[in-house]
Amino acid sequence: MVLTWPVGIGRTTQRDQASGHSRRKLLSAGALLVLGGAVTPLTGCDLFDRDDQPAPPPDPLRPMVDESLALAAAYRASATAHPELADRLDPIAETHTAHATELARVIGVTVPSAASAAPTTAPAADPNGARAALRALEKTAQQSATAACAAAPAERAALLGSIVAARATHQEALK
């Protein structure tokens, strides 16, 4: 700090008596200003105000992302086990992956890779049993999507409604 006016050191001048400034007072005030400027940004960093708030609850659509990925994995496993059904099952698996991707985008999470999603059950030994098992999975998934759609805010209802409709269509395609 550069002082541009005379400051009394053990003696007083005419100017010092009028203003009452001393070098010690000026340096103390300067130090307080510097410290005050350094503390202000720290309060914005929540250094002194530690209200440990709980993390926000997970989005209610997060289970729908996982369910869509599990359905896609079940279709891929059945298509692998029964190559004669692959032409029928692969497009449905891709639809479920697309649903998971869009749901994840809406709720702001990343979608795990499709390879990491494992089917919950092994595919049936015969193609008819595999289609029946997938129909049952679709029916359960359609019911959960319907419940999510009914509870969702308006901006999410259209997406969930289209997922409900797709799952109903998938049941018909598996007959």
Side-chain angles (χ1 to χ4, degrees):
M1 176 186 287
V2 176
L3 301 175
T4 58
W5 61 85
V7 178
I9 306 175
R11 64 187 192 295
T12 59
T13 63
Q14 192 71 300
R15 185 174 185 180
D16 289 335
Q17 285 178 344
S19 65
H21 298 300
S22 70
R23 184 178 305 244
R24 184 170 289 149
K25 284 183 183 178
L26 287 173
L27 289 175
S28 297
L32 287 174
L33 285 173
V34 169
L35 287 175
V39 169
T40 301
L42 294 178
T43 60
C45 295
D46 199 27
L47 179 66
F48 297 114
D49 187 23
R50 285 277 195 201
D51 288 336
D52 292 332
Q53 297 178 6
D59 195 288
L61 292 185
R62 179 60 204 211
M64 292 284 300
V65 174
D66 298 334
E67 183 179 58
S68 293
L69 291 173
L71 283 169
Y75 275 93
R76 287 191 181 96
S78 291
T80 302
H82 307 289
E84 65 275 11
L85 296 177
D87 290 341
R88 195 178 209 182
L89 301 181
D90 286 340
I92 298 174
E94 292 304 317
T95 302
H96 286 299
T97 303
H99 290 165
T101 302
E102 185 59 21
L103 286 165
R105 185 193 65 77
V106 167
I107 64 174
V109 297
T110 57
V111 178
S113 67
S116 68
T120 55
T121 60
D126 65 307
N128 290 334
R131 287 185 309 145
L134 290 172
R135 250 192 334 270
L137 287 174
E138 283 286 357
K139 184 172 182 152
T140 303
Q142 180 191 8
Q143 291 168 348
S144 68
T146 302
C149 183
E155 64 270 6
R156 293 179 171 186
L159 172 62
L160 292 170
S162 67
I163 291 173
V164 170
R167 290 178 179 179
T169 304
H170 296 162
Q171 290 175 53
E172 292 300 314
L174 291 169
K175 286 185 178 177

